[in-house]
Amino acid sequence: MSDILKGKPVADAISAQIREKVEKLKQDKITPTLAILRVGEREDDLSYERGTMKRCENTGVAVKNIILPEDIDEKSFFETLENLNSDNQIHGILMFRPLPKHLDGERARCMLNPQKDVDGCTDGSLAGVFTNSKSGFAPCTAEAAMEILKFYGIDPAGKRAVVIGRSLVIGRPVAMLLMHANATVTICHTKTQNMAEIVREADIVICASGQMESIGKEFLAPGQTVIDVGIGWNEQKQKLCGDVIFEEADEVAAITPVPGGVGAVTTSILVRHVVEAAKK
Amino acid sequence: MSDILKGKPVADAISAQIREKVEKLKQDKITPTLAILRVGEREDDLSYERGTMKRCENTGVAVKNIILPEDIDEKSFFETLENLNSDNQIHGILMFRPLPKHLDGERARCMLNPQKDVDGCTDGSLAGVFTNSKSGFAPCTAEAAMEILKFYGIDPAGKRAVVIGRSLVIGRPVAMLLMHANATVTICHTKTQNMAEIVREADIVICASGQMESIGKEFLAPGQTVIDVGIGWNEQKQKLCGDVIFEEADEVAAITPVPGGVGAVTTSILVRHVVEAAKK
């Protein structure tokens, strides 16, 4: 029977730290403020927006919602973004991506003020993750995975970590964060051969391929800590599932549940970034 | 007996390609020009400068040498750098680092025009290596290692690669380049445990720890391709040596010699970057 690494206590601990910092900032007449920029009404975006707003409310961080119609013209969109960039009352910007196809998403990403890039998507933030310069912000999900390890006392130093997936939102940045924490990191991806064998050698496994229930018992070994970043609706089982077949992970030392694992921590990291941006 | 992957044929092939491109640019009245900015007279810098100038001469790329005294004041140094940044006749800048201690090296690195950063040291270049956006330039030594694999027909796709060393000039960037080429990459470093065992599992080994003759036969296995990035003077043997104990690598499939391996390719990559910068 594995330990279940729930996200909620981690998120609660981070929220408590945030509240303290927000109190101090308010004494200096600063209210940390997040702008949420959403185009259209995608269900994923709406769900993440609700979670973020709840977390902000809960910690004293203000939110400014900017909701633009799906068919907004390019000029108006970029004017809106530019205004948020230059507005001194806005400390962080969460811009939902991908944008609708008629808007240039790459241009928007590059235009975003790196100091307000609390979601860690600009080149400045990604360079900071790569160089370990602490400038910019790491992508929230990658940092959430690291916070869970830290909260539960699992030090990556000297351990073998395998990251499954090489995306820029989670796989690559979490690999760098683990390496900065002195783990020996291997990155697996769609072109990896004998993946099960490689994953079995790991002490820490980060599952971030986005392939639901693709990691079964042949990938896992006793003693491992498994962080499951995936989340999706399993039509057959009629429930949310991660990248791991949870029932087959009963011999690992510890595993994050889905839902209620990494996802529960991500918004608290985002809000922490807003407060850090406001402090700067 | 291993195949010896010499650098010279690789460098010669690249030089031939460069000459063709330079010819075309000259028809458009553009002479690709590299500025070499050196402070003081460090032997390492002088040696690399000589190699670079020879390669430039050999390919039709112009060089502008800017040599500043060791004790130059900060204001004059940064004015010089700013002038090179804004000079339209200069396409690439090679700034030797580390700078003397009284000059702010980090400020200089950040100030360097990313479009002229042919040595791949700015955040813009490093972000490009991390994101695989092809913007900026990869650090030359990392790209040289990849060129050697390519020249000798060793495709990293699907193979296991182990990089020993996590520096920003070679370890981390070459790990990313290998991953973009679809290898399954593991990064080892000073905090790695059981390193020999991990390295033995690799198909491709990149030795970039800078620890002379630290990789002996217990790290190596038949069938491996070994790229030795290290170079240093071995006092005892009275010759240049790499990170690998060369005599103990006789069972691997192929290995780069030191000297005459990666080092022989690095300057041709630098010069290729100057031509690419001029084309842009």
Side-chain angles (χ1 to χ4, degrees):
Chain A
M1 197 54 204
S2 321
D3 288 343
I4 305 299
L5 308 177
K6 289 191 180 172
K8 189 168 182 304
V10 187
D12 287 348
I14 297 170
S15 289
Q17 291 162 1
I18 293 173
R19 272 190 291 271
E20 266 183 46
K21 287 179 189 157
V22 169
E23 277 310 311
K24 281 189 190 152
L25 283 167
K26 287 192 173 167
Q27 284 166 17
D28 297 330
K29 311 271 184 238
I30 297 167
T31 302
T33 303
L34 171 68
I36 302 182
L37 174 57
R38 168 163 59 81
V39 181
E41 309 279 333
R42 276 204 328 197
E43 191 43 55
D44 283 5
D45 298 349
L46 288 167
S47 156
Y48 195 67
E49 185 176 298
R50 281 191 295 270
T52 304
M53 290 179 68
K54 198 168 151 192
R55 183 79 59 188
C56 284
E57 193 180 350
N58 182 264
T59 50
V61 169
V63 177
K64 185 172 174 179
N65 293 82
I66 299 96
I67 301 159
L68 302 175
E70 175 81 30
D71 61 351
I72 186 162
D73 65 285
E74 196 145 28
K75 184 160 174 289
S76 310
F77 172 79
F78 282 105
E79 274 175 12
T80 306
L81 181 54
E82 199 50 66
N83 289 339
L84 293 174
N85 266 345
S86 55
D87 183 342
N88 287 332
Q89 307 296 310
I90 301 288
H91 303 102
I93 301 171
L94 172 63
M95 174 177 73
F96 284 114
R97 298 184 309 149
L99 295 166
K101 279 184 184 150
H102 69 285
L103 300 174
D104 184 343
E106 182 59 12
R107 183 181 158 203
R109 188 181 71 85
C110 292
M111 191 192 273
L112 195 64
N113 184 339
Q115 296 179 319
K116 300 186 179 186
D117 174 28
V118 289
D119 200 27
C121 72
T122 62
D123 278 359
S125 286
L126 292 170
V129 169
F130 188 55
T131 63
N132 200 21
S133 65
K134 320 278 184 205
S135 68
F137 298 97
C140 298
T141 310
E143 198 171 324
M146 297 300 292
E147 284 294 328
I148 290 175
L149 293 175
K150 191 175 164 191
F151 183 87
Y152 288 104
I154 300 153
D155 181 359
K159 297 210 173 71
R160 292 200 68 174
V162 169
V163 176
I164 305 171
R166 54 176 161 176
S167 75
L168 274 174
V169 287
I170 167 72
R172 259 176 274 180
V174 81
M176 288 300 118
L177 297 178
L178 284 162
M179 191 193 74
H180 301 324
N182 291 321
T184 300
V185 182
T186 303
I187 308 173
C188 293
H189 45 74
T190 48
K191 298 292 190 294
T192 294
Q193 294 180 4
N194 306 319
M195 200 194 291
E197 190 185 313
I198 295 170
V199 177
R200 270 202 312 272
E201 294 165 5
D203 302 304
I204 296 169
V205 183
I206 311 284
C207 304
S209 69
Q211 299 295 313
M212 192 165 58
E213 295 205 318
S214 56
I215 309 297
K217 61 174 181 286
E218 70 277 22
F219 290 77
L220 304 171
Q224 290 183 323
T225 297
V226 180
I227 307 288
D228 190 349
V229 178
I231 189 161
W233 180 253
N234 189 322
E235 201 49 58
Q236 207 182 339
K237 294 186 177 174
Q238 286 289 305
K239 62 173 184 173
L240 288 167
C241 287
D243 288 354
V244 180
I245 306 171
F246 195 79
E247 306 84 75
E248 296 192 6
D250 53 346
E251 288 192 8
V252 303
I255 184 168
T256 57
V258 176
V262 178
V265 180
T266 306
T267 54
S268 54
I269 300 293
L270 179 77
V271 177
R272 182 165 78 183
H273 287 172
V274 178
V275 176
E276 287 168 15
K279 277 179 84 172
K280 286 178 189 166
Chain B
M1 195 59 202
S2 322
D3 289 342
I4 305 299
L5 308 177
K6 290 190 179 171
K8 189 168 183 304
V10 187
D12 288 347
I14 296 170
S15 289
Q17 292 162 2
I18 294 174
R19 272 190 292 271
E20 267 183 46
K21 287 180 189 158
V22 169
E23 277 310 310
K24 281 191 191 152
L25 283 166
K26 287 193 174 167
Q27 285 167 16
D28 298 330
K29 311 272 184 238
I30 298 167
T31 301
T33 303
L34 171 69
I36 302 183
L37 174 57
R38 168 162 59 81
V39 182
E41 309 280 333
R42 276 204 328 197
E43 192 43 56
D44 284 5
D45 297 349
L46 289 166
S47 156
Y48 194 68
E49 185 176 298
R50 280 191 297 271
T52 304
M53 289 179 68
K54 200 169 148 191
R55 182 79 59 190
C56 285
E57 192 180 352
N58 183 265
T59 49
V61 169
V63 176
K64 186 172 174 180
N65 293 83
I66 298 96
I67 300 160
L68 302 175
E70 175 81 28
D71 61 351
I72 186 161
D73 64 284
E74 195 146 28
K75 184 161 174 288
S76 310
F77 171 80
F78 282 106
E79 273 174 12
T80 307
L81 181 55
E82 198 51 63
N83 289 340
L84 293 173
N85 266 345
S86 54
D87 184 342
N88 288 332
Q89 306 296 312
I90 301 287
H91 304 102
I93 302 171
L94 172 63
M95 174 177 73
F96 284 113
R97 298 183 309 149
L99 295 165
K101 279 188 185 147
H102 69 285
L103 300 174
D104 184 342
E106 181 60 11
R107 184 183 156 202
R109 188 180 71 85
C110 291
M111 191 192 274
L112 195 64
N113 183 338
Q115 295 178 319
K116 300 186 178 186
D117 173 29
V118 289
D119 201 28
C121 72
T122 61
D123 278 359
S125 286
L126 292 170
V129 169
F130 188 55
T131 63
N132 198 21
S133 66
K134 320 281 183 200
S135 68
F137 298 97
C140 297
T141 310
E143 197 171 324
M146 297 301 291
E147 284 293 327
I148 290 175
L149 293 175
K150 191 176 165 190
F151 182 88
Y152 289 105
I154 300 151
D155 181 0
K159 297 210 173 70
R160 292 199 68 173
V162 170
V163 176
I164 305 171
R166 55 175 160 175
S167 76
L168 273 175
V169 287
I170 167 73
R172 257 175 276 179
V174 81
M176 288 300 118
L177 297 179
L178 284 162
M179 190 193 75
H180 300 324
N182 290 323
T184 300
V185 183
T186 302
I187 307 173
C188 292
H189 45 75
T190 49
K191 297 294 190 293
T192 293
Q193 294 181 4
N194 307 318
M195 199 193 292
E197 189 185 313
I198 294 170
V199 177
R200 269 202 312 273
E201 295 165 4
D203 303 303
I204 297 170
V205 183
I206 311 283
C207 303
S209 69
Q211 299 296 311
M212 194 166 55
E213 296 205 316
S214 56
I215 308 297
K217 61 173 181 289
E218 69 276 23
F219 289 77
L220 304 170
Q224 290 183 323
T225 297
V226 179
I227 307 288
D228 190 350
V229 179
I231 188 159
W233 181 251
N234 190 323
E235 202 47 59
Q236 206 182 339
K237 294 186 177 173
Q238 287 289 303
K239 63 173 183 173
L240 289 167
C241 288
D243 288 354
V244 179
I245 306 171
F246 194 80
E247 307 83 77
E248 295 192 6
D250 53 346
E251 288 191 7
V252 303
I255 183 168
T256 57
V258 176
V262 177
V265 181
T266 306
T267 55
S268 54
I269 300 293
L270 180 76
V271 178
R272 182 165 77 183
H273 287 171
V274 177
V275 176
E276 286 169 15
K279 278 180 82 172
K280 286 177 190 166

